Amino acid sequence: MEEKRKGFFNILNKTEEVCLVIMFALMVLAIFLQIIMRFVFNNSLSWSEELGKFIFVWISWLGISIGQRKNEHIKITMVVDKLSPKYQNIIEIVANFILLVILAVTIYYAILLVQFQQNVNYAGIKISSSWGYLSLVLGCSFMGLRILGRIYENFRMLIGKDIEEPIDKM
């Protein structure tokens, strides 16, 4: 079971990284093309700026999962740092459960937005705006999976099982 979990998170990590690199390259290319068209040819593309914004939204929402994986989201730990490791684990579990509830509510409303926006198209790139809101659903879902993995690790540490390397750090 442990190997399946590690394998799943390894696949998720690689997929996120590859997708983000490709999206970043496409965003830079679209914006660069817009700059060349505007300043060299005195002509503007109707779709490139909108495509750049669209990809930036996807990068941002998928990036929250990577922030969770690297444990780089902003936290105020002044009090928690003074506690014993056992109580730090307990507080992290509670905080992560609260975060899961927030993510579940966000995902619920994001799914409603995806459904509501199906027939509304972006003007420049001519695709449904529900594709933009789908990034919110996926980003929050991936972050939720990582939080569940972290909660599992915290419970294992509480009962005394050593974790040699956290599954979401691989």
Side-chain angles (χ1 to χ4, degrees):
M1 179 69 173
E2 192 75 22
E3 287 302 315
K4 284 184 182 181
R5 236 172 15 97
K6 288 180 182 181
F8 170 78
F9 279 104
N10 284 337
I11 291 169
L12 180 61
N13 294 347
K14 257 313 185 206
T15 304
E16 279 178 338
E17 290 167 3
V18 168
C19 286
L20 287 173
V21 167
I22 290 170
M23 283 191 268
F24 187 77
L26 286 173
M27 182 181 70
V28 168
L29 182 67
I31 293 170
F32 179 73
L33 187 59
Q34 174 70 356
I35 291 169
I36 295 297
M37 290 301 293
R38 186 174 291 166
F39 292 108
V40 175
F41 297 107
N42 270 344
N43 194 358
S44 184
L45 299 172
S46 63
W47 53 268
S48 64
E49 184 178 344
E50 191 168 67
L51 179 64
K53 289 177 187 177
F54 175 81
I55 294 172
F56 181 74
V57 167
W58 270 89
I59 290 171
S60 300
W61 282 108
L62 289 180
I64 68 166
S65 177
I66 290 178
Q68 180 65 34
R69 175 177 83 189
K70 296 183 177 188
N71 203 20
E72 292 181 348
H73 286 290
I74 295 173
K75 297 178 188 174
I76 299 172
T77 61
M78 184 173 60
V79 175
V80 176
D81 289 344
K82 296 183 184 331
L83 300 174
S84 70
K86 176 184 176 183
Y87 289 112
Q88 286 179 2
N89 271 333
I90 292 170
I91 289 177
E92 187 172 351
I93 289 169
V94 171
N96 282 333
F97 271 120
I98 293 169
L99 190 52
L100 277 176
V101 170
I102 292 168
L103 287 172
V105 170
T106 304
I107 291 168
Y108 172 77
Y109 285 107
I111 289 171
L112 291 179
L113 276 171
V114 167
Q115 294 169 345
F116 184 72
Q117 296 292 320
Q118 281 181 341
N119 297 323
V120 178
N121 288 338
Y122 288 108
I125 53 179
K126 309 286 190 232
I127 62 171
S128 171
S129 59
S130 63
W131 286 103
Y133 292 107
L134 184 62
S135 65
L136 180 59
V137 174
L138 291 177
C140 289
S141 297
F142 292 158
M143 184 174 175
L145 290 173
R146 292 193 187 285
I147 289 172
L148 287 172
R150 181 93 53 180
I151 289 171
Y152 176 78
E153 290 169 359
N154 287 124
F155 273 123
R156 285 183 54 113
M157 285 189 269
L158 275 178
I159 62 172
K161 300 220 178 196
D162 266 350
I163 303 229
E164 62 281 347
E165 185 174 0
I167 56 170
D168 58 352
K169 295 280 186 186
M170 298 178 177

